[in-house]
Amino acid sequence: MKKEMGIFILLVMLCGVTASMNPRFLSATNLSNMANIIGMYGVFSLGLGLVIITGGIDLSVGSMFALCGVLLSMALREWHWPWPLTALFILAIPMLLGWGHGLLITRMKIQPFIVTLCGLLIYRGLARFIADDNTKGLGNAEGFETFSKLAKGKMFGLPAPFIILALISILLWFVLHRSVYGRHLFAVGRNEDAARFSGINARFVVTASYVLMGLLTGIAGILFAFYTNSISPSNHGSFFELYGIAAAVLGGCSLRGGEGSIIGILIGTALLQVLQNLVNLLGIPSSLNFAVMGGVVLVGVLADQMLQRRAERKLVRH
């Protein structure tokens, strides 16, 4: 909990600094908009966190967003599928792709970086081909208002995506921190060979993490498609995987694997979005957004390295 507490204190301090520099930060409209964005980004960031805990990575998330967004629009507007069937279809696609990633990584022993980098290129290309490189829209959501309400509506006075994130977080907290699968996930991330020799089905654990990543990407993909109401296959979801990785790393997930928590990932997501909000409120050019994010990830990795070295020194002394 030391990492989470440190990140939370940093988040509170950043919120205080931002509010003192621009009082609009604490306005009801800004807080509501920020909660909405945190909800959508947080959903797939949790999935990336699970994958990172295994010692893996997923660079294909943004391209999955594009592919799912294009197919979502076509299923509802052109094929006229009922929205429940469309939802199942859109959730199944990234889960199937995640299962494929898991098989290539565990069975064929290909590095997760290579597998998901290929996915990044393939899925973006498929999205552009299927859409004929044209932007797809969702109109005024006639006949599938339920989707629109989930992305833009409110529940219990809070943005619906924020409530969805809260519910998913509670479920995943039990999965990660109170279940056998969660213990196996950490064990595989720390030392896959040792976990396998102790009787853990490492292949299943890793593959399941990529399938869960796909499910959460599908949920977030639906929310983002209706939030933007326009899906350009060439840039929809671009660099989203970097936001998720940054949130997980900021939240205490080690890129070496074996470390991380649901609460930490949530705080990391909030911290990242507060930074983005700070950039906007202070009138800093939006072109610097990625520079800010890159700097934040670098600081997070350096902090992780320093903590790791300190822990190793303590072990040597004892």
Side-chain angles (χ1 to χ4, degrees):
M1 286 298 292
K2 287 183 179 179
K3 279 188 178 181
E4 288 84 350
M5 185 56 67
I7 302 163
F8 180 72
I9 292 171
L10 180 60
L11 174 62
V12 172
M13 290 174 60
L14 184 62
C15 288
V17 170
T18 307
S20 64
M21 296 178 72
N22 193 325
R24 285 185 300 165
F25 176 77
L26 295 177
S27 68
T29 301
N30 186 63
L31 290 177
S32 178
N33 289 337
M34 197 159 56
N36 201 65
I37 295 296
I38 288 172
M40 290 187 287
Y41 277 94
V43 170
F44 71 87
S45 295
L46 289 172
L48 267 167
L50 295 178
V51 167
I52 289 172
I53 288 172
T54 68
I57 200 77
D58 195 330
L59 302 177
S60 66
V61 171
S63 296
M64 283 190 190
F65 270 93
L67 180 60
C68 290
V70 164
L71 291 174
L72 175 68
S73 174
M74 295 177 71
L76 292 173
R77 298 296 303 278
E78 299 176 24
W79 306 337
H80 304 293
W81 287 10
W83 70 263
L85 177 61
T86 301
L88 291 175
F89 175 60
I90 297 303
L91 294 179
I93 290 171
M95 290 178 71
L96 184 62
L97 295 177
W99 176 71
H101 292 171
L103 289 184
L104 288 172
I105 291 165
T106 59
R107 301 282 180 175
M108 304 303 295
K109 302 300 180 184
I110 305 175
Q111 290 295 321
F113 180 89
I114 300 299
V115 171
T116 57
L117 177 62
C118 292
L120 179 152
L121 300 172
I122 293 169
Y123 309 147
R124 180 72 64 182
L126 282 175
R128 297 182 67 174
F129 174 76
I130 292 170
D132 199 21
D133 227 0
N134 294 320
T135 298
K136 296 292 182 179
L138 293 161
N140 55 9
E142 286 185 5
F144 38 90
E145 292 85 356
T146 301
F147 280 153
S148 184
K149 289 178 181 177
L150 288 176
K152 300 178 182 179
K154 291 193 174 184
M155 296 179 182
F156 311 109
L158 294 171
F162 190 79
I163 298 297
I164 293 171
L165 173 62
L167 295 174
I168 292 174
S169 299
I170 292 170
L171 180 61
L172 286 182
W173 186 87
F174 281 102
V175 170
L176 186 60
H177 301 294
R178 290 293 184 271
S179 73
V180 173
Y181 175 76
R183 291 195 292 273
H184 289 179
L185 198 71
F186 282 111
V188 169
R190 291 188 184 101
N191 191 320
E192 184 174 343
D193 290 333
R196 188 179 295 111
F197 288 132
S198 66
I200 295 173
N201 188 343
R203 288 178 176 176
F204 169 78
V205 170
V206 172
T207 303
S209 71
Y210 283 91
V211 173
L212 281 172
M213 171 74 245
L215 172 62
L216 295 173
T217 298
I219 294 171
I222 292 173
L223 295 176
F224 267 106
F226 277 90
Y227 182 75
T228 60
N229 212 41
S230 177
I231 301 97
S232 173
S234 61
N235 56 35
H236 184 74
S238 290
F239 298 108
F240 275 27
E241 60 277 349
L242 300 186
Y243 284 99
I245 293 168
V249 170
L250 280 173
C253 291
S254 173
L255 291 173
R256 292 184 299 271
E259 295 180 30
S261 69
I262 297 300
I263 294 174
I265 297 168
L266 293 177
I267 298 173
T269 303
L271 182 61
L272 197 62
Q273 295 309 317
V274 170
L275 280 170
Q276 296 281 0
N277 197 247
L278 175 63
V279 169
N280 295 331
L281 289 176
L282 295 181
I284 298 172
S286 59
S287 55
L288 288 174
N289 279 354
F290 291 119
V292 171
M293 185 173 63
V296 166
V297 174
L298 179 60
V299 170
V301 173
L302 287 173
D304 180 58
Q305 287 288 93
M306 291 172 65
L307 289 171
Q308 180 68 18
R309 288 179 181 177
R310 183 179 296 179
E312 289 175 353
R313 287 172 186 169
K314 286 183 179 179
L315 286 174
V316 171
R317 289 173 185 173
H318 291 291

